[in-house]
Amino acid sequence: MPEQGVTVGQLLLAEYQSVKDEQKARIGFRDNLLYVTLAVVAAVIAAAAQAKQPSMLLALPPVCVVLGWTYVVNDEKITAIGLYVRDSLGPRLAALAADESGFTTFGWEASHGRDTRRRSRKAVQLAVDLTAFCAVPLAALVVFWAQDDGHGRLMVALSVLEALAVAGLASQVVRFARAA
């Protein structure tokens, strides 16, 4: 009678496939958030310029904060999955294989992090993230503040709150980049 059970190794490989599928989906979603942000920024700027209403620029900070926060959360999960595969699943599977040849389970998870250009790529990515999600909405706020349209107190208060939200997001983007 054939064996009906599932081995620990099969379960670990199934878990690996599942978390890698999640990571792949999150990477696609995260990367598309930059394109969505660019499209939203272009649309809001065009609408504000066409209507000659700088107050419309106040739509940018909350949108960029939401999209930026979603980007950061997904990026953190992508990194966490990679760490889990490298530090937990890989060693558990390697122990089951009991291979004496020095084979590294899921070697890519560790080797791509040792690339000599990784630091420069991370720095450029940090600059892109800060520009897209933080500098652009702050620039929109500066344009709003520079317009002498007799902004009401409520609009100015809203813009200050938006600036604080963008600054908070910027601190989280930098904090996560350092942790990663």
Side-chain angles (χ1 to χ4, degrees):
M1 185 168 158
E3 191 174 311
Q4 299 287 329
V6 177
T7 68
V8 172
Q10 290 170 322
L11 287 173
L12 291 173
L13 287 173
E15 182 181 11
Y16 169 76
Q17 189 60 53
S18 176
V19 296
K20 290 305 280 187
D21 287 346
E22 179 183 347
Q23 187 182 48
K24 186 178 2 173
R26 285 182 178 276
I27 288 169
F29 182 73
R30 177 204 59 195
D31 292 351
N32 284 327
L33 285 170
L34 278 171
Y35 302 125
V36 170
T37 301
L38 289 173
V40 168
V41 166
V44 169
I45 290 172
Q50 188 175 17
K52 295 182 177 158
Q53 291 291 323
S55 62
M56 292 175 73
L57 294 174
L58 292 181
L60 281 179
V63 169
C64 288
V65 166
V66 168
L67 292 172
W69 180 249
T70 305
Y71 181 94
V72 167
V73 168
N74 272 280
D75 200 44
E76 188 278 328
K77 294 299 181 209
I78 292 162
T79 300
I81 289 169
L83 289 171
Y84 177 71
V85 167
R86 185 181 72 233
D87 297 344
S88 181
L89 278 180
R92 287 169 33 209
L93 274 168
L96 286 175
D99 183 24
E100 302 295 326
S101 69
F103 172 76
T104 303
T105 311
F106 307 130
W108 170 251
E109 299 293 338
S111 70
H112 75 89
R114 291 189 301 263
D115 181 4
T116 57
R117 295 178 305 211
R118 185 172 193 273
R119 286 180 79 80
S120 64
R121 279 195 320 274
K122 286 291 192 182
V124 169
Q125 188 62 53
L126 175 60
V128 168
D129 296 348
L130 286 172
T131 299
F133 300 117
C134 303
V136 168
L138 287 176
L141 289 169
V142 168
V143 169
F144 171 75
W145 292 326
Q147 300 297 315
D148 192 18
D149 290 353
H151 306 302
R153 287 184 179 164
L154 182 59
M155 295 297 273
V156 171
L158 175 64
S159 69
V160 169
L161 288 175
E162 289 180 346
L164 292 172
V166 171
L169 174 62
S171 72
Q172 292 302 306
V173 169
V174 170
R175 182 172 167 231
F176 178 72
R178 284 186 182 157

